[in-house]
Amino acid sequence: SNTALAFFYRGCNQTNPSSFNSSKLHIFFKMQSFPKKTLIPVFKSRFLFCFQKSSYFAVILLRGTMHIAIAGNIGAGKTSLAELIAKHYNWEAHYEDVIDNPYLDDFYTHMERWSFNLQVYFLKSRFQQLLAFQNNKKTIVQDRTIYEDAFIFAPNLNAMGLMNQRDFKNYRELFDLMESLIEGPDLLIYLRSSIPNLVNKIHKRGREYENSISIDYLSRLNERYEAWISAYDKNKMVIIDVDDLDFVENKDDLGTVLAEIDKGLGKIV
């Protein structure tokens, strides 16, 4: 017969397909009878390809829905990557509310006056997203997390004297309440970038309200991002250095990014 399914194994690793563990279900296909190009559209949205060894090709059966989040500084490429991987994996992308945000323009004009309003708005917006994700039947990829607001942007504004201590305390207590009702993403994708690369990307996309962002402000955010990532323990994480990658214009660079994401997805079961 021309059947493709060869064996079911409980667990494997990338060098020994006969190894076992109880965490993942791997399915092995004999490549001679079922071409890889046929498998890809069939399993693209629900399976993750693990590795090809000799004449067998293995895939990992994933959960039906997941929450994937992309983190990174201003200009790191979160929105672009969310759009690209949503298309690649047949996921549903949810973006940061910057177009209809009523405080963003005012904030960059007068940070001290509008910092608390802006941060509460972002906190509310992302909390609404997380509640909506609970009833979603598709895998979600989220552009920026609620944790970045609370551990990076708000404390940075407080440290710079742009959000007073009373407002910051109020903000953190609100976040703590929200955090008790949510769970972290199944996979966090952190886009690491240098300041020169961020500045170049910000200027390239040409958002008028971002013209006033200072290098000092970006540098402070980058330091807090690195501190947060070094202690991150919510779930699985992938770190991608994007300084030498142009995953929007270069297909090879996008392939490099997707390969790293695939590795991260392989840890989720």
Side-chain angles (χ1 to χ4, degrees):
S1 71
N2 193 36
T3 181
L5 187 55
F7 304 102
F8 283 89
Y9 282 141
R10 291 292 294 181
C12 75
N13 60 46
Q14 293 195 4
T15 57
N16 183 9
S18 62
S19 65
F20 290 82
N21 64 50
S22 59
S23 64
K24 301 174 183 176
L25 174 62
H26 291 72
I27 307 175
F28 287 80
F29 293 90
K30 188 121 179 171
M31 294 305 294
Q32 295 95 320
S33 60
F34 207 109
K36 178 181 176 182
K37 66 180 180 180
T38 305
L39 289 173
I40 290 176
V42 175
F43 296 110
K44 186 175 178 182
S45 63
R46 298 291 292 273
F47 288 76
L48 171 68
F49 294 107
C50 177
F51 66 94
Q52 184 173 349
K53 182 174 178 62
S54 185
S55 61
Y56 290 93
F57 190 76
V59 296
I60 304 173
L61 178 61
L62 295 173
R63 291 204 307 269
T65 60
M66 296 177 291
H67 174 197
I68 312 299
I70 304 175
N73 205 343
I74 302 167
K78 299 177 299 299
T79 301
S80 296
L81 184 60
E83 182 178 356
L84 289 167
I85 65 176
K87 181 178 179 180
H88 176 80
Y89 294 106
N90 192 26
W91 293 341
E92 185 175 296
H94 288 255
Y95 301 102
E96 187 175 34
D97 187 357
V98 295
I99 296 176
D100 298 321
N101 190 315
Y103 298 106
L104 205 54
D105 288 339
D106 290 331
F107 168 74
Y108 282 116
T109 301
H110 191 176
M111 287 186 171
E112 186 174 0
R113 166 62 182 87
W114 296 103
S115 60
F116 179 73
N117 307 68
L118 178 71
Q119 291 305 309
V120 169
Y121 180 86
F122 273 133
L123 190 66
K124 180 267 299 182
S125 176
R126 275 185 258 278
F127 185 64
Q128 285 179 324
Q129 282 186 333
L130 292 170
L131 294 181
F133 294 168
Q134 296 176 2
N135 299 317
N136 203 303
K137 296 181 180 180
K138 292 192 69 174
T139 288
I140 296 298
V141 55
Q142 183 185 21
D143 171 7
R144 184 164 277 152
T145 68
I146 197 171
Y147 303 105
E148 291 162 83
D149 293 315
F151 293 111
I152 296 166
F153 285 88
N156 183 62
L157 290 167
N158 175 243
M160 293 179 71
L162 299 173
M163 182 187 295
N164 65 54
Q165 191 61 31
R166 179 179 59 180
D167 286 346
F168 180 63
K169 181 175 182 293
N170 188 12
Y171 173 88
R172 278 306 304 260
E173 289 175 353
L174 181 59
F175 167 76
D176 291 341
L177 176 62
M178 292 179 174
E179 188 183 24
S180 68
L181 302 173
I182 61 174
E183 295 182 358
D186 298 297
L187 178 68
L188 179 73
I189 303 167
Y190 172 52
L191 303 184
R192 174 177 280 153
S193 177
S194 67
I195 300 303
N197 186 56
L198 294 175
V199 171
N200 180 57
K201 294 292 179 61
I202 290 171
H203 287 168
K204 185 177 179 180
R205 69 188 183 189
R207 294 176 182 171
E208 185 176 350
Y209 61 81
E210 293 179 338
N211 290 338
S212 61
I213 296 177
S214 68
I215 291 178
D216 177 60
Y217 182 69
L218 287 175
S219 298
R220 288 170 179 263
L221 292 177
N222 244 19
E223 291 173 3
R224 290 184 180 274
Y225 263 107
E226 291 300 320
W228 173 62
I229 285 297
S230 68
Y232 182 80
D233 61 357
K234 299 296 180 185
N235 221 316
K236 306 301 181 183
M237 176 175 58
V238 171
I239 298 176
I240 301 174
D241 192 323
V242 297
D243 273 7
D244 297 319
L245 296 174
D246 184 357
F247 49 78
V248 175
E249 301 293 339
N250 189 308
K251 290 185 178 180
D252 290 338
D253 287 350
L254 177 59
T256 298
V257 172
L258 294 174
E260 291 301 312
I261 295 174
D262 283 348
K263 291 177 185 177
L265 290 172
K267 302 174 183 177
I268 304 174
V269 171

